[in-house]
Amino acid sequence: MRIKQGFLLLLAFIAGHSVWGQLPEQQIGQIDAFANQLLEDWKVPGIGLGIVQNDKIVYVQGYGQRDLESASPVTPNTLFAIGSSSKAFTGLSVLQQAEEGLIDLDAPVLDYLPEFRMYDDYVTQHLTVRDLLCHRSGLPRHDLSWYGSAASRSELMERLRYLEPSAGFREVFQYQNLMFMTAGHLVGEVANSTWEEEVQKRIFKPLGMDRANFEVDQMANDKDAALPYQKTAEGKVELMPYRNINAIGPAGSINASPKEMAAWVLALLNGGHYMGEQIAEGSSIAEAMAPAVTVPNGWVGALRFDNGNAPVAYGLGWFLSNHKGHQLVAHGGNIDGFSADVALLPADSIGLVILTNLNGNPVPGILRNYVLDLLTGTEIRDWNGEALKLREKQEEAEMTVEEDVVRQEGTTPSHDLQAYTGTFSHPGYDEIKISLQGDSLYLKMVAVPEALPLGHYHYDVFYNKDPLFGETKVQFLTDMEGAVHQAKVKLEPTLPALTLERKPEPKTFSVEELRSYTGTYLIMGVQPITVKLEGETLKMEVPGQPVYTLVYESGYKFGLKGLEGYTALFQQNSAGAVYQVTLIQPNGQFSGEKQKED
């Protein structure tokens, strides 16, 4: 009897502290019908939805399919990539450490990461932890610096010093993933841990987010995980690969289910409390949702909702505006094959999470707006109809072919196509490779899975117009000797084309081959210079000057290490023996024949 009474008491305790509630059946029917219509209209394979209202999780539902081939349905437990909706987790993880006095939001990042460097020394010295979290560093996106890269988090941070700003420090909002990555790296360094471990321990675990993770490899092995899809240029929905973004993780690598994300939203609305656990102080959550920088009007990423032209701001991991006069805190997310949205109306105790498995689709914003209209009792606007009309106009515009008034017709490249091939590098980005296949040049970047064919545009400019990746132009530049030595590519849309240097062709010499270059050469019949072999390195001795190291460039040409614009070009006779060297330098070219040994 005592056991039964204890059991009943336990049930009563759980029931009294339940986080679960129920939406009215009529609203459930309306939401289900609208969500299913969106699946059809936008060819989205699946949708995961979670709704929080009045301190309760009132509805979690899956629509459509997580896997089209197996026709496996989306469930409340289906994992989706949430993309940049991860930024709010990073913001809160920083604020958690600030609560404990481990981090001062307004202290320079250098105080915690001594190796941190930006392009501008002043910014390096003064950029604060808070600046990392609100997109006001002056740095534009530079997404091709990390997208698809195999670089580690530390290596990506090292690239920051080579990435040019496009605005003044704290001058304007510019969305920036690398700054959030740095914030996450800082969290790990301060805790002598990693960002992933801190979020897992301090947010996921107390919220019961047991299957939430940070890696697509782990997600791919889960039995209830959504597959990523994309639309082709022809409108066909096809499977696309998962994108591993571990290095940039704090900016967008979290994978979670609608049910788990609903617990996250509930905790935020409840001042950090969930099922007897407290993940953060209410003051920290309020600070994350307080305006830190104004977002310019018309910024597409923020305005996935119609806010009646009300001001938009950014906090510490959240966009801030309103929905028909109701305070709105939201953040979307997009990564290969997935689009998401997390939104809260804090004053109304309403929160939503919408997860989808189709690349770059507008359904999360459309469904969010519809549900917010429904739950706030405002007039329901035809969000979907307006979006469909906008899509129709965009498709019509894409069909319109405008005359290219810039292209110079009738021009030809200045070199044979083979001369443009090679590897080109910039310290802030991964290498770009230009190859010749058949009678066409091809461009390979880590951001695209396949090499892009380059057609001739004009003069020494080549281009590709990819329906998914957009237009890419490559301008090749020649040095004073007529050799192609640089390529200019617009890797960051807000900045002029970046200049990438052509890397020397890799070549391994045998000791015998290197020895063939050694000897004394009499320059202009007067000045002796000596080329010697030290180990496997050629050295050049010029009387009265330091000893120079020769670095192979191409053909029979070697550069003088540390002297830009100075090279040594060797000549071979018909028998293949080196008999002459020409020193090429800014003030002229000076040749000398190899002297016979005594």
Side-chain angles (χ1 to χ4, degrees):
M1 192 66 170
R2 288 179 182 176
I3 294 176
K4 283 187 178 182
Q5 285 178 339
F7 184 65
L8 289 173
L9 285 172
L10 180 60
L11 282 178
F13 177 82
I14 293 174
H17 291 77
S18 173
V19 298
W20 292 92
Q22 180 68 42
L23 273 182
E25 288 297 326
Q26 181 181 356
Q27 289 186 343
I28 289 175
Q30 290 173 284
I31 292 169
D32 289 352
F34 190 77
N36 284 310
Q37 185 64 49
L38 292 175
L39 292 177
E40 181 180 338
D41 289 343
W42 297 92
K43 295 185 179 179
V44 175
I47 300 172
L49 171 66
I51 301 176
V52 173
Q53 188 175 32
N54 298 326
D55 302 331
K56 302 287 184 183
I57 298 172
V58 295
Y59 196 55
V60 182
Q61 184 61 278
Y63 306 93
Q65 299 171 345
R66 61 178 179 83
D67 180 344
L68 291 178
E69 184 177 359
S70 67
S72 302
V74 174
T75 74
N77 296 308
T78 299
L79 293 178
F80 290 81
I82 72 169
S84 286
S85 298
S86 304
K87 288 181 171 65
F89 288 83
T90 299
L92 192 64
S93 66
V94 170
L95 287 161
Q96 287 172 329
Q97 291 186 332
E99 289 176 6
E100 298 174 1
L102 300 175
I103 289 177
D104 180 347
L105 289 176
D106 297 309
V109 173
L110 274 177
D111 287 1
Y112 309 100
L113 301 175
E115 71 278 17
F116 176 76
R117 295 291 183 277
M118 296 286 281
Y119 190 86
D120 182 272
D121 288 340
Y122 179 87
V123 178
T124 298
Q125 297 295 326
H126 293 86
L127 189 136
T128 66
V129 179
R130 190 185 302 274
D131 293 323
L132 292 176
L133 298 173
C134 61
H135 306 294
R136 62 185 188 191
S137 67
L139 206 63
R141 294 186 72 121
H142 281 292
D143 279 342
L144 290 180
S145 178
W146 63 265
Y147 185 75
S149 178
S152 68
R153 198 165 292 172
S154 295
E155 289 169 337
L156 290 180
M157 238 185 69
E158 171 67 19
R159 292 180 179 183
L160 289 173
R161 69 184 66 198
Y162 304 107
L163 300 181
E164 293 187 45
S166 60
F169 180 43
R170 296 180 186 157
E171 183 178 271
V172 67
F173 169 91
Q174 292 188 115
Y175 197 80
Q176 227 300 320
N177 287 297
L178 289 162
M179 293 294 97
F180 264 84
M181 177 208 72
T182 303
H185 182 67
L186 186 152
V187 165
E189 290 296 296
V190 167
N192 196 27
S193 179
T194 66
W195 168 78
E196 288 84 352
E197 289 172 352
E198 291 302 294
V199 171
Q200 180 77 46
K201 176 177 66 178
R202 305 185 64 167
I203 300 178
F204 286 179
K205 186 176 180 180
L207 295 183
M209 299 176 68
D210 299 328
R211 289 171 55 247
N213 60 73
F214 310 91
E215 297 187 17
V216 292
D217 290 344
Q218 186 174 345
M219 179 176 174
N221 292 325
D222 194 285
K223 293 181 180 180
D224 190 359
L227 296 180
Y229 292 91
Q230 65 181 342
K231 272 187 187 177
T232 66
E234 297 76 29
K236 180 183 176 183
V237 175
E238 65 178 16
L239 190 67
M240 69 185 303
Y242 283 116
R243 174 69 67 177
N244 184 322
I245 56 169
N246 292 357
I248 202 78
S253 71
I254 290 176
N255 310 304
S257 69
K259 184 178 178 181
E260 291 173 319
M261 289 297 292
W264 161 245
V265 169
L266 179 57
L268 295 173
L269 289 172
N270 284 350
H273 296 278
Y274 179 82
M275 295 283 286
E277 299 279 356
Q278 185 169 3
I279 61 171
E281 298 292 339
S283 57
S284 294
I285 294 172
E287 185 157 18
M289 299 179 183
V293 61
T294 299
V295 177
N297 288 334
W299 194 80
V300 177
L303 300 177
R304 294 180 64 183
F305 46 89
D306 186 324
N307 63 344
N309 294 319
V312 179
Y314 197 86
L316 306 181
W318 293 102
F319 285 101
L320 314 169
S321 189
N322 73 70
H323 178 87
K324 296 185 176 180
H326 299 259
Q327 178 197 7
L328 174 64
V329 177
H331 210 297
N334 287 287
I335 194 62
D336 295 35
F338 297 93
S339 293
D341 209 297
V342 178
L344 301 87
L345 302 185
D348 301 271
S349 189
I350 292 173
L352 304 176
V353 54
I354 301 109
L355 310 176
T356 68
N357 58 335
L358 182 68
N359 195 52
N361 78 85
V363 163
I366 297 170
L367 182 54
R368 177 194 63 195
N369 291 347
Y370 174 84
V371 175
L372 290 181
D373 280 357
L374 191 66
L375 297 185
T376 56
T378 59
E379 181 181 354
I380 296 177
R381 182 168 161 180
D382 186 11
W383 299 103
N384 190 38
E386 292 178 17
L388 289 170
K389 288 179 182 177
L390 180 60
R391 181 181 68 179
E392 186 178 344
K393 289 181 180 179
Q394 290 173 338
E395 290 173 348
E396 289 175 357
E398 290 169 2
M399 295 293 290
T400 304
V401 179
E402 295 186 3
E403 180 183 0
D404 189 342
V405 297
V406 174
R407 187 175 186 179
Q408 302 294 312
E409 300 290 346
T411 65
T412 58
S414 62
H415 295 68
D416 291 334
L417 293 184
Q418 183 64 44
Y420 300 102
T421 63
T423 301
F424 297 82
S425 66
H426 182 282
Y429 286 80
D430 281 281
E431 295 175 347
I432 286 176
K433 298 183 185 299
I434 305 294
S435 62
L436 180 62
Q437 301 177 32
D439 58 356
S440 177
L441 293 175
Y442 279 77
L443 165 71
K444 183 65 182 77
M445 296 187 287
V446 297
V448 292
E450 302 292 336
L452 303 172
L454 292 175
H456 181 245
Y457 187 72
H458 59 207
Y459 298 108
D460 283 341
V461 179
F462 295 77
Y463 78 115
N464 174 275
K465 219 167 187 180
D466 185 84
L468 295 177
F469 194 69
E471 183 177 75
T472 303
K473 287 181 181 174
V474 183
Q475 178 189 9
F476 293 96
L477 304 177
T478 56
D479 59 21
M480 296 293 285
E481 300 167 33
V484 175
H485 74 126
Q486 292 176 330
K488 298 187 78 170
V489 189
K490 200 172 180 68
L491 296 176
E492 166 50 48
T494 65
L495 291 170
L498 287 179
T499 299
L500 291 83
E501 300 291 334
R502 186 178 191 171
K503 294 182 66 175
E505 298 174 12
K507 185 173 181 178
T508 302
F509 291 91
S510 67
V511 173
E512 290 75 17
E513 287 175 315
L514 290 173
R515 192 172 286 123
S516 70
Y517 291 93
T518 62
T520 299
Y521 298 79
L522 197 60
I523 303 300
M524 299 182 70
V526 178
Q527 176 68 58
I529 66 166
T530 303
V531 177
K532 293 183 176 181
L533 183 62
E534 293 185 7
E536 297 182 355
T537 303
L538 289 175
K539 303 280 187 175
M540 177 182 287
E541 295 180 356
V542 180
Q545 297 185 33
V547 177
Y548 299 106
T549 299
L550 298 183
V551 180
Y552 177 73
E553 291 187 356
S554 63
Y556 302 102
K557 184 168 69 173
F558 292 76
L560 276 64
K561 187 176 182 180
L563 286 180
E564 187 175 351
Y566 289 77
T567 57
L569 178 62
F570 294 89
Q571 301 289 334
Q572 289 184 328
N573 60 24
S574 57
V578 175
Y579 76 97
Q580 179 180 292
V581 67
T582 300
L583 300 182
I584 303 169
Q585 48 197 55
N587 63 332
Q589 300 181 14
F590 308 94
S591 299
E593 291 193 1
K594 191 175 187 179
Q595 303 299 293
K596 293 182 179 179
E597 297 180 1
D598 294 333

